[in-house]
Amino acid sequence: KAGVTQTPRYLIKTRGQQVTLSCSPISGHRSVSWYQQTPGQGLQFLFEYFSETQRNKGNFPGRFSGRQFSNSRSEMNVSTLELGDSALYLCASQGRDRYSNKDEQFFGPGTRLTVL
Amino acid sequence: EDKVVQSPLSLVVHEGDTVTLNCSYEVTNFRSLLWYKQEKKAPTFLFMLTSSGIEKKSGRLSSILDKKELFSILNITATQTGDSAVYLCAVEAFDAGGTSYGKLTFGQGTILTVHP
């Protein structure tokens, strides 16, 4: 089973710019969640998408947005970047294993964003 | 607001030692508690616990949940240098509509260092 892929893996931007990160979930998984990980705040939930609809959202400003496409791939966008947005952005793919019928979740490798 | 607290924040042991990591939580409408191991990459899933008092085991790792006292422990016996990592605890809760929509609340993690 191919894993969760995230692109790009590393990104350097300057303050005020915007950035778009991509996540391709495991084949058959329809739910994608996004998390921000920083040394100070740990892992924090951003939002979750299922069948192109945002079902849940964390406590982040409106500069953070996302979307999901019909093939379940998801993108998240951060506009007007701030220094504090420097973090590892992880996406998690959720679904049910067709053989075991158990819910499963896998994280992607993450995108390391540095804002200068 | 859901809250997860892990202790200790860091732990240094020698190979062969047994360690116990703690996770306490406050959450409304608890659904599950999950343990992850994170090395220099994305978190990898270890256990999901939903029922109180039932131990989950995988090799030298085991975990148990106490829903009355709102905590879980992760035990690692006969530690090896490869166990060095950050161990994350997360809780999943149902929302008012009875679904969880992929939102996990993470603790700050326990940094485990195993010396040869």
Side-chain angles (χ1 to χ4, degrees), chain A residues 13-19 61-64 77-85 115:
Chain A
K13 292 284 189 179
T14 56
R15 279 181 299 174
Q17 288 187 307
Q18 76 165 23
V19 66
R63 300 185 296 108
F64 292 82
N77 185 77
V78 188
S79 62
T80 320
L81 284 166
E82 301 176 0
L83 295 178
D85 297 333
V115 182

Side-chain angles (χ1 to χ4, degrees), chain A residues 25-100:
Chain A
I26 287 172
S27 177
H29 284 189
R30 295 164 65 189
S31 168
V32 174
S33 299
W34 287 90
Y35 292 84
Q36 181 196 65
Q37 187 173 32
T38 59
Q41 299 296 319
L43 263 161
Q44 293 185 287
F45 174 78
L46 282 155
F47 26 66
E48 187 263 0
Y49 286 87
F50 181 88
S51 291
E52 302 178 66
T53 301
Q54 185 185 89
R55 299 192 299 183
N56 208 345
K57 190 175 188 305
N59 298 323
F60 278 81
R63 300 185 296 108
F64 292 82
S65 63
R67 59 178 176 168
Q68 187 180 36
F69 302 93
S70 58
N71 62 357
S72 294
R73 187 177 71 86
S74 178
E75 288 181 347
M76 68 162 280
N77 185 77
V78 188
S79 62
T80 320
L81 284 166
E82 301 176 0
L83 295 178
D85 297 333
S86 294
L88 179 67
Y89 289 88
L90 294 161
C91 81
S93 166
Q94 286 100 211
R96 182 154 289 185
D97 182 86
R98 69 177 72 180
Y99 301 108
S100 68

Side-chain angles (χ1 to χ4, degrees), chain B residues 23-97:
Chain B
C23 175
S24 63
Y25 62 91
E26 295 173 24
V27 62
T28 306
N29 298 325
F30 174 88
R31 183 189 188 205
S32 64
L33 185 145
L34 301 95
W35 284 97
Y36 293 86
K37 177 183 181 182
Q38 185 174 27
E39 297 168 272
K40 291 181 181 177
K41 48 186 179 180
T44 53
F45 171 80
L46 293 174
F47 299 111
M48 175 190 279
L49 302 145
T50 55
S51 301
S52 215
I54 298 175
E55 187 182 46
K56 293 266 181 113
K57 289 198 73 165
S58 177
R60 297 177 293 103
L61 278 67
S62 64
S63 183
I64 196 160
L65 174 67
D66 186 326
K67 287 169 75 172
K68 183 180 175 186
E69 300 298 329
L70 308 182
F71 79 90
S72 173
I73 60 172
L74 174 69
N75 276 322
I76 308 175
T77 59
T79 51
Q80 302 171 358
T81 54
D83 295 326
S84 296
V86 177
Y87 289 84
L88 295 163
C89 170
V91 293
E92 186 179 20
F94 290 109
D95 65 10

